Amino acid sequence: MDESIRFLAAALAVGIAGLGTGWAQSRIGSAGAGAVAEKPEVTGTILILVALPETIVILGFVVAAMILFL
Amino acid sequence: MLVAMRRVDIVAPRRRGADVVRVVHRLGALHLAPFELPEGLTPGVFGVNPATPPGTPFDAALERVADLGELLGPRIGPGHLVDELWDLDPVALLREADALEPVRARVAALTGERVLLGSEEARLGSYRRLVEGLSSAIGHLPSIRGYGSTGIVVHTRYRAVIGLIRDELEELTGGRCEILAAEMDPDRVAAILLYPARVAEDVRALLGGRDLEEVALPEEFQGVPFDQLGPELGQEQSRVQVRLATVEAELAALSAAHGARVAALRDVLEDRVAEARALHDSGISDHLVILGGWLPAGRVAELRDALAAEVGPEVLVEERPHQGRDPRTPVAFENQPFLRAFEPLASFISMPRYGSLDPTPLLALTFPAFVGLMVADVGYGLLLLGLLLWARRRWRGEPLMGIVWPIGVLSAAATIGFGVLFGEWFGDAGQQFLGLGPVWLDRREAIVPLLVLAISIGVAQVGLGLVLGMVNAVLLRHRSELARRGALLVSLVAVLVIIGWLARLMPAVAGQVALAALLVALVVLVATAGLAGPIEVVGVLGNVLSYARLMAIGLASVMLALVANRLGGLPENVVLGVVVAAVIHALNLVLGFFDSSVQGLRLHYVEFFSKFVEPGGVRYEPFVSALARDGTRLPVRPSGGP
């Protein structure tokens, strides 16, 4: 039982963080697509901006790793 | 490193102003600065050049030649022609532009005719396709004089609209009309409306409100019997195509005969206009003209010599005292050739400020290493190397390849190196078939050690960033920044020591000292950055944890490679298995390198550069003539370096 709860907790840590990242990236991505349509020279900057929220899921991954392995 | 710059003022007799600008333009080293009134003088005595009008006789000539250049097709003026035209005096240069007027008139006429013929050809083609689409029905129609026709094309899903139009047309003509409809292709239905010619305007109004693709029959075909319409349209279309080809050929001949000269003349006229503007923006008094700007310190003597040789000893080049902290000083990179490819990446978000440190060497060291650490597969590295070799041969000489090639090769080398360490050859294929196991770690198993490694890299890079930030603060004499970055560095180290103490890896004394240091650092942060200061500590810790992506993305990459091998091994047919594995490996290769590059850049821009790069630098853009734009001489680097 304890094992299964640990796995569930780890899955939630990554899963919910992934949802948060996805939501943030969808907002940035749609705004970024508009910006790129008007100014194609900002494509690189927008790519970086889209990658920014991934920290959330990375932190979720770190928490999951701590739950599973520590 | 960033090139050392000098601020100079070139002072010359007013009558030699144009000559000075010309020499400076030819040299192509000076980044022009707006004129600043010398201390103690009033604008009435010394102001922005009032005598030279902003417009020049070259403006109109440039407009005409540029027009002609656009019509003939864009190209770069060849070097020998630019050389020849650059030395002409203004009158001779304008005469050159005037001599091209007959060519311009002919090219404009031909271009206009080409547009008309093109649209005519498209219209005939549309109607011909429509008539051919209805050929079976048209064959049964008698020849009717005094009737007009209009073709329409609708999407198949809207074909019901044809029935509505039939009803309205019958009402309009009292039943003296006909509509023939047939499918042109699976998506489109064509229809021809026949009606008395006198109601043509009413029919046009009826169709106009329905947003239909209307195909009007050319006037000369009105009243032609339908059974003859197809062949006659075909003949007319062929005639238009022949004329179009003749026009194209004449335009190509004119382009071949005059294109190079027009392009060179446009380049030279652009230079003359730029020189006139530079002179207009210079400072001027009754007797003197002053042109100011920045140039690399190593080229001041070259500027002096050029002015002395070509204008004479009456020109002075005054070097201002070193102004290392002037934020308007332009920035140019000067790095070893293999580092130059990284300069555009280093200045991608913002140019570093003059006087601060150049992040390029650090980026060149760690960016490929990060990509290699994340992808870490010998097979993928070799494939990337192969693709780069092919691209280099395919696009030899392209400026973009000069950037992509070194970055790609270093990343591929790092990928192969880490692949050997982790024993990955297309995932576990090397281990399975060749017995090539990991030299250091197996990424599938060593999740925690790799996580520790990734976060340790984060600690090292963020810590280094803060140290470099302190160096930059000293160089730029920002005391509060120095204190803030120092406090953040102390906080980072203190938090790590406290974690070590809590994990019983460090003695209690170290933990207590770290706690005291953290408290002092927080006080300093509040003093230098306000209440947001302590929050920055959390931000720095978040930055460090963010490096976990080095391990997480790497783990995803190796797992996808394993999936490719497993799925490839499932089918009994070997060929099918190889195809399945190859497709998934190809997907992993593209995703792996793309995502690793974006994440690697992001780690540098957000986590690393934010700690020390002083943004807001002005790119060095020297006043360069068309002479320097020729690829064989004085190359101007994309990063703005000399």
Side-chain angles (χ1 to χ4, degrees):
Chain A
M1 183 66 183
D2 281 353
E3 276 292 286
S4 59
I5 286 176
R6 272 202 318 137
F7 287 132
L8 184 63
L12 286 174
V14 178
I16 294 173
L19 285 174
T21 298
W23 179 78
Q25 285 189 323
S26 72
R27 303 292 299 268
I28 297 171
S30 58
V36 170
E38 296 222 348
K39 290 178 78 177
E41 63 271 22
V42 300
T43 305
T45 312
I46 297 297
L47 263 181
I48 300 296
L49 287 178
V50 172
L52 275 185
E54 285 173 14
T55 306
I56 303 167
V57 75
I58 296 293
L59 294 177
F61 172 79
V62 171
V63 170
M66 289 168 73
I67 292 171
L68 290 176
F69 301 108
L70 295 183
Chain B
M1 60 180 286
L2 304 184
V3 178
M5 291 283 174
R6 291 290 178 271
R7 175 73 166 87
V8 295
D9 289 309
I10 303 166
V11 186
R14 182 170 169 162
R15 61 190 161 74
R16 305 303 306 273
D19 299 332
V20 168
V21 171
R22 208 146 172 71
V23 172
V24 167
H25 204 187
R26 185 192 285 273
L27 187 66
L30 193 69
H31 176 107
L32 293 173
F35 173 69
E36 291 167 359
L37 196 64
E39 280 180 27
L41 292 176
T42 64
V45 177
F46 223 113
V48 169
N49 198 336
T52 318
T56 71
F58 300 112
D59 284 345
L62 174 59
E63 199 175 321
R64 284 185 279 127
V65 173
D67 262 0
L68 179 54
E70 288 299 318
L71 294 176
L72 290 178
R75 63 166 77 185
I76 297 168
H80 68 280
L81 279 177
V82 172
D83 282 349
E84 180 191 314
L85 294 169
W86 217 81
D87 289 325
L88 292 179
D89 62 60
V91 176
L93 195 59
L94 291 173
R95 205 179 298 131
E96 284 283 335
D98 290 341
L100 287 169
E101 273 305 284
V103 179
R104 191 168 80 98
R106 182 65 189 146
V107 169
L110 286 171
T111 309
E113 190 180 353
R114 182 172 60 181
V115 171
L116 286 177
L117 287 169
S119 64
E120 182 68 7
E121 202 266 334
R123 197 159 65 105
L124 286 168
S126 300
Y127 213 92
R128 193 178 165 199
R129 280 195 298 279
L130 191 148
V131 168
E132 282 168 359
L134 298 169
S135 57
S136 58
I138 285 172
H140 302 299
L141 270 181
S143 302
I144 309 171
R145 297 281 171 188
Y147 269 64
S149 72
T150 299
I152 57 171
V153 178
V154 294
H155 197 282
T156 309
R157 83 176 82 143
Y158 302 126
R159 67 180 308 156
V161 80
I162 293 174
L164 296 175
I165 291 172
R166 180 192 295 277
D167 294 344
E168 291 187 29
L169 196 60
E170 282 181 353
E171 193 179 330
L172 187 70
T173 61
R176 298 174 63 194
C177 64
E178 188 56 78
I179 294 186
L180 300 172
E183 281 191 7
M184 288 174 77
D185 54 50
D187 290 333
R188 296 189 301 169
V189 174
I192 286 190
L193 282 57
L194 295 170
Y195 46 83
R198 61 186 163 74
V199 297
E201 283 300 317
D202 298 327
V203 173
R204 201 162 294 132
L206 185 151
L207 297 173
R210 295 187 185 275
D211 195 22
L212 294 168
E213 185 186 336
E214 189 178 329
V215 187
L217 186 65
E219 206 169 300
E220 61 271 27
F221 291 98
Q222 297 283 351
V224 174
F226 277 94
D227 53 347
Q228 295 169 21
L229 202 50
E232 288 202 19
L233 282 169
Q235 283 172 13
E236 180 62 11
Q237 195 179 7
S238 302
R239 190 192 66 76
V240 169
Q241 283 167 344
V242 168
R243 178 63 194 150
L244 194 57
T246 311
V247 168
E248 295 276 11
E250 193 176 346
L251 276 171
L254 284 167
S255 178
H258 303 283
R261 193 160 193 87
V262 168
L265 187 58
R266 186 187 56 201
D267 287 347
V268 172
L269 285 169
E270 278 173 351
D271 277 359
R272 293 295 173 102
V273 169
E275 284 165 19
R277 290 201 180 124
L279 191 60
H280 177 260
D281 293 341
S282 65
I284 206 157
S285 73
D286 288 343
H287 302 288
L288 293 176
V289 63
I290 296 184
L291 195 69
W294 285 271
L295 79 167
R299 299 192 72 181
V300 176
E302 195 184 344
L303 176 68
R304 276 207 176 95
D305 293 346
L307 285 167
E310 296 185 43
V311 184
E314 52 198 349
V315 181
L316 291 176
V317 178
E318 287 285 318
E319 198 173 325
R320 290 195 188 176
H322 187 57
Q323 295 180 323
R325 286 190 296 163
D326 187 344
R328 294 168 303 176
T329 310
V331 177
F333 294 105
E334 182 60 79
N335 285 303
Q336 295 299 317
F338 74 96
L339 289 178
R340 286 182 188 165
F342 291 89
E343 289 172 357
L345 290 182
S347 57
F348 184 62
I349 300 291
S350 173
M351 285 294 279
R353 260 186 62 182
Y354 184 75
S356 65
L357 294 169
D358 176 11
T360 310
L362 295 164
L363 184 73
L365 184 71
T366 46
F367 174 73
F370 285 1
V371 173
L373 181 60
M374 284 186 265
V375 183
D377 190 296
V378 179
Y380 291 174
L382 291 173
L383 272 180
L384 177 63
L385 212 52
L387 285 171
L388 285 166
L389 283 168
W390 171 80
R392 194 187 190 201
R393 182 175 292 183
R394 170 77 177 74
W395 290 287
R396 182 176 292 278
E398 291 286 326
L400 189 61
M401 274 315 292
I403 298 172
V404 171
W405 170 255
I407 298 174
V409 167
L410 286 173
S411 300
T415 304
I416 293 169
F418 280 109
V420 170
L421 290 177
F422 298 148
E424 288 174 30
W425 302 67
F426 293 108
D428 61 349
Q431 199 166 357
Q432 277 188 355
F433 299 113
L434 303 170
L436 298 166
V439 176
W440 182 27
L441 289 171
D442 185 343
R443 284 204 292 181
R444 293 166 297 171
E445 306 292 335
I447 291 176
V448 174
L450 278 169
L451 192 57
V452 172
L453 172 70
I455 292 176
S456 303
I457 292 171
V459 171
Q461 195 167 46
V462 171
L464 177 65
L466 288 168
V467 171
L468 295 175
M470 291 168 70
V471 173
N472 260 345
V474 171
L475 289 173
L476 297 171
R477 298 177 196 173
H478 287 165
R479 284 185 190 169
S480 65
E481 276 300 301
L482 177 64
R484 189 179 72 85
R485 287 168 185 168
L488 283 173
L489 183 62
V490 170
S491 304
L492 175 62
V493 175
V495 168
L496 292 174
V497 173
I498 291 169
I499 291 172
W501 170 41
L502 293 176
R504 300 180 191 285
L505 297 173
M506 288 201 163
V509 178
Q512 287 156 4
V513 171
L515 203 55
L518 180 62
L519 287 174
V520 173
L522 289 176
V523 171
V524 173
L525 282 170
V526 170
T528 53
L531 289 176
I535 297 172
E536 284 191 49
V537 177
V538 181
V540 168
L541 294 174
N543 291 157
V544 168
L545 287 178
S546 182
Y547 282 76
R549 76 189 62 224
L550 290 175
M551 173 265 169
I553 290 164
L555 187 64
S557 174
V558 67
M559 288 304 174
L560 199 52
L562 290 179
V563 167
N565 293 341
R566 295 289 178 277
L567 285 181
L570 285 181
E572 289 183 4
N573 185 326
V574 177
V575 177
L576 181 63
V578 170
V579 169
V580 168
V583 168
I584 302 175
H585 275 302
L587 179 74
N588 195 22
L589 178 82
V590 174
L591 272 180
F593 280 110
F594 177 73
D595 201 26
S596 302
S597 304
V598 172
Q599 298 300 338
L601 284 176
R602 177 236 139 91
L603 282 176
H604 282 87
Y605 294 144
V606 180
E607 270 80 20
F608 186 38
F609 286 1
S610 63
K611 304 292 173 294
F612 73 100
V613 173
E614 301 286 343
V618 180
R619 192 177 292 276
Y620 170 62
E621 288 174 348
F623 186 47
V624 179
S625 71
L627 296 171
R629 274 176 238 140
D630 178 7
T632 58
R633 289 162 297 168
L634 272 175
V636 178
R637 287 166 39 205
S639 57

